[in-house]
């Protein structure tokens, strides 16, 4: 078994680099990939960079070049659901791109034309593993649900409300749904684990920097626990 772990920012992968052994570094498409071991598992860690294109390219390279069997995307996100607080965890049941908009041609928002599906389901075993790990290590609440992605940093209260009401999404970020789509196209199991860096109150621009390191630490602790619990 070989596991791909993706974070979008340096803060989201720093602890993983510290926790890995036998580290080897490779560069592909300007992205650094770190091969090594963590808790006895073969792991390939990388920082995708921010945004859906970066995340999609990174995911395909992990699958083609590094032959990973499953992918975990971890990091921070902005809350949409009103019950979420800073530090709470959302585990993806599925992911969807909220900035796909072909409504002038009769499609609903978020629907990709001429595609089999636009909502990409996470792997049930990885969801269960993530839930169990989260409940053991996280101080905040743990939720499962739809994670939304778009090439936008959402900080406006009205946008937050609109996304929640339109999609019933739990949280929003800028990469996960593209990872999910690439994994779906390649039949690779995935899960997205996001720790909230802000509440659904329009304060994302204030809270993001302050709480990113805290949220990243919680995400790391969950994935670290997952790897310990994984068989094979």
């Amino acid at each position: 078994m070989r596991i791909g772990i993706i974070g979008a920012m340096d803060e989201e992968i720093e602890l993983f680099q510290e926790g890995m052994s036998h580290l080897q570094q490779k560069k592909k498409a300007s992205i650094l990939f770190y091969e090594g071991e963590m808790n006895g598992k073969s792991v390939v860690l990388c920082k995708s960079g921010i945004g859906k294109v970066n995340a999609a390219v990174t995911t395909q390279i992990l699958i083609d070049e590094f032959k990973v069997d499953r992918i975990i995307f971890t990091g921070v996100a902005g809350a949409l659901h009103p019950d979420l607080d800073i530090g709470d965890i959302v585990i993806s049941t599925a992911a969807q791109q909220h900035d796909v908009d072909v409504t002038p041609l009769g499609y609903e928002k978020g629907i990709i034309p001429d595609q089999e599906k636009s909502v990409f389901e996470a792997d049930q075993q990885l969801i269960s593993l993530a839930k169990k790990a989260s409940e053991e290590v996280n101080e905040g609440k743990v939720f499962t649900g739809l994670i939304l992605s778009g090439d936008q940093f959402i900080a406006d209260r009205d946008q937050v409300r609109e996304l929640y009401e339109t999609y019933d999404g739990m949280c929003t970020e800028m990469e996960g749904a593209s990872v999910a789509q690439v994994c779906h196209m390649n039949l690779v199991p995935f899960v997205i684990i996001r720790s909230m860096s802000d509440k659904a109150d329009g304060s994302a621009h204030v809270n993001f920097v302050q709480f990113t390191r805290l949220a990243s630490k919680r995400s790391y602790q969950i994935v670290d626990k997952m790897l310990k619990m994984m068989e094979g």
Side-chain angles (χ1 to χ4, degrees), residues 28-55:
K28 185 84 173 177
S30 301
I31 302 160
L32 284 174
F33 294 84
Y34 302 92
E35 298 177 90
E37 291 184 11
M38 188 170 172
N39 296 331
K41 306 297 188 302
S42 176
V43 167
V44 184
L45 171 73
C46 55
K47 182 186 81 170
S48 63
I50 294 170
K52 294 189 298 178
V53 173
N54 284 328

Side-chain angles (χ1 to χ4, degrees), residues 156-203:
D156 179 77
R157 191 190 300 264
D158 291 336
Q159 280 184 290
V160 168
R161 184 172 58 251
E162 181 184 354
L163 288 176
Y164 177 61
E165 292 174 353
T166 301
Y167 298 98
D168 196 25
M170 294 297 297
C171 63
T172 182
E173 34 89 305
M174 298 179 68
E175 298 85 23
S178 57
V179 173
Q181 183 172 349
V182 173
C183 285
H184 168 75
M185 294 167 73
N186 288 275
L187 304 177
V188 172
F190 78 91
V191 71
I192 304 163
I193 301 164
R194 291 293 195 175
S195 181
M196 299 304 103
S197 61
D198 60 78
K199 300 173 69 170
D201 59 2
S203 62

Side-chain angles (χ1 to χ4, degrees), residues 12-176:
E12 294 171 333
I13 69 164
E14 280 175 354
L15 291 172
F16 289 98
Q17 288 174 288
E18 294 171 11
M20 288 172 65
S21 60
H22 309 294
L23 215 59
Q24 292 186 329
Q25 185 175 300
K26 289 185 181 178
K27 195 170 190 180
K28 185 84 173 177
S30 301
I31 302 160
L32 284 174
F33 294 84
Y34 302 92
E35 298 177 90
E37 291 184 11
M38 188 170 172
N39 296 331
K41 306 297 188 302
S42 176
V43 167
V44 184
L45 171 73
C46 55
K47 182 186 81 170
S48 63
I50 294 170
K52 294 189 298 178
V53 173
N54 284 328
V57 170
T58 301
T59 304
Q60 193 64 56
I61 292 172
L62 279 173
I63 294 167
D64 288 344
E65 186 85 7
F66 296 95
K67 311 299 181 189
V68 298
D69 302 295
R70 55 191 70 179
I71 288 177
I72 300 171
F73 198 107
T74 180
V76 303
L80 296 176
H81 195 290
D83 290 345
L84 282 164
D85 205 342
I86 291 166
D88 288 346
I89 297 294
V90 175
I91 299 162
S92 63
T93 53
Q96 183 176 11
Q97 298 175 62
H98 68 74
D99 58 350
V100 173
D101 187 351
V102 197
T103 51
L105 299 183
Y107 295 90
E108 293 182 7
K109 278 188 175 181
I111 299 300
I112 307 167
D114 301 323
Q115 289 284 121
E116 171 197 357
K117 58 170 60 182
S118 301
V119 180
F120 303 99
E121 294 85 7
D123 179 73
Q124 287 298 325
Q125 287 186 329
L126 290 175
I127 294 170
S128 291
L129 203 59
K131 283 174 65 177
K132 189 174 180 182
S134 298
E135 287 160 1
E136 288 192 23
V137 306
N138 188 51
E139 297 173 10
K141 299 185 292 293
V142 179
F143 296 80
T144 58
L146 179 67
I147 292 179
L148 299 178
S149 305
D151 285 319
Q152 303 166 355
F153 186 88
I154 305 296
D156 179 77
R157 191 190 300 264
D158 291 336
Q159 280 184 290
V160 168
R161 184 172 58 251
E162 181 184 354
L163 288 176
Y164 177 61
E165 292 174 353
T166 301
Y167 298 98
D168 196 25
M170 294 297 297
C171 63
T172 182
E173 34 89 305
M174 298 179 68
E175 298 85 23

